[in-house]
Amino acid sequence: DGGITQSPKYLFRKEGQNVTLSCEQNLNHDAMYWYRQDPGQGLRLIYYSQIVNDFQKGDIAEGYSVSREKKESFPLTVTSAQKNPTAFYLCASSTNDRGYGYTFGSGTRLTVV
Amino acid sequence: GESVGLHLPTLSVQEGDNSIINCAYSNSASDYFIWYKQESGKGPQFIIDIRSNMDKRQGQRVTVLLNKTVKHLSLQIAATQPGDSAVYFCAAGGRSQGNLIFGKGTKLSVKP
């Protein structure tokens, strides 16, 4: 079955560490997205990529980095520069046709310890 | 800037009643709208979508209504069940728009 897979489901980060969240899709989608969701809040866009080897900053990119070396993969690194990283992170993918919705992964809950 | 908003952050209904969740959008160029359901600790799941050339679209126990004049859409859930308890949020987009714009969500609680 086609889908989008995020791993790990839970992740713990120590102060000053960088951690990388994985996102893989086999839907043959060109576009991929990373969102951050805080309790009781909506989705805030961190980064997005419409094509391999290219990506753009979203609304809250500071303290995060991404790469898009393969169409199927869009990993997100939460760097030590992100001062409040505890949140639920969602990856999504879509075609580049703006007339369709996004398919979401199951999310990664990141906690700073 | 563009925005998508929901009228109520929380909604509590009795099991078996109908639920109505509302959403407003600001961009007149939006021509595609989608509702998602997000259960606790999970990713959002597609429920139903509608394009601007339609006023109404029905799925299994769900109906989406679109009023382009006032830039408003609603999600109606018939005979609400405990399994419908979740956060519901709408998103607006379209071919002349950038990324989907998401609303903040309404938390639906179903009382037995």
Side-chain angles (χ1 to χ4, degrees), chain A residues 37 97-102 105, chain B residues 36 38 51 94-95 99-100:
Chain A
Q37 189 176 37
D97 184 334
R98 299 290 188 187
Y100 293 91
Y102 301 170
Chain B
Y36 288 94
Q38 186 179 23
R51 299 191 184 280
R95 291 187 167 87
N99 297 325
L100 283 180

Side-chain angles (χ1 to χ4, degrees), chain B residues 19-69:
Chain B
S19 303
I20 299 176
I21 301 171
N22 296 302
C23 187
Y25 62 96
S26 64
N27 190 346
S28 302
S30 297
D31 58 12
Y32 174 74
F33 307 88
I34 186 168
W35 282 97
Y36 288 94
K37 173 185 180 183
Q38 186 179 23
E39 295 176 87
S40 182
K42 297 184 179 180
Q45 296 291 314
F46 169 89
I47 302 173
I48 192 168
D49 59 2
I50 189 168
R51 299 191 184 280
S52 59
N53 60 350
M54 302 174 70
D55 297 322
K56 178 179 179 179
R57 190 167 186 218
Q58 288 183 290
Q60 188 175 10
R61 283 200 306 116
V62 294
T63 300
V64 56
L65 299 177
L66 176 63
N67 185 329
K68 296 179 287 294
T69 303

Side-chain angles (χ1 to χ4, degrees), chain A residues 31-96:
Chain A
M32 296 186 75
Y33 313 81
W34 274 105
Y35 288 89
R36 170 178 172 143
Q37 189 176 37
D38 293 285
Q41 300 294 313
L43 302 177
R44 292 190 288 169
L45 182 63
I46 305 173
Y47 269 98
Y48 65 100
S49 167
Q50 293 178 289
I51 197 169
V52 175
N53 292 322
D54 190 39
F55 48 82
Q56 286 78 40
K57 292 181 179 180
D59 301 318
I60 56 164
E62 185 175 351
Y64 300 97
S65 66
V66 293
S67 62
R68 187 85 187 277
E69 297 176 3
K70 298 187 301 181
K71 185 176 184 178
E72 301 80 16
S73 179
F74 191 40
L76 172 74
T77 296
V78 184
T79 75
S80 57
Q82 172 48 244
K83 297 307 177 188
N84 186 23
T86 295
F88 191 53
Y89 290 87
L90 286 162
C91 180
S93 69
S94 73
T95 68
N96 269 326

Side-chain angles (χ1 to χ4, degrees), chain B residues 6-17:
Chain B
L6 287 166
H7 293 249
L8 284 176
T10 61
L11 178 65
S12 183
V13 300
Q14 204 70 38
E15 182 178 355
D17 286 352

Side-chain angles (χ1 to χ4, degrees), chain A residues 54 99 109 111:
Chain A
D54 190 39
R109 185 165 300 281
T111 304

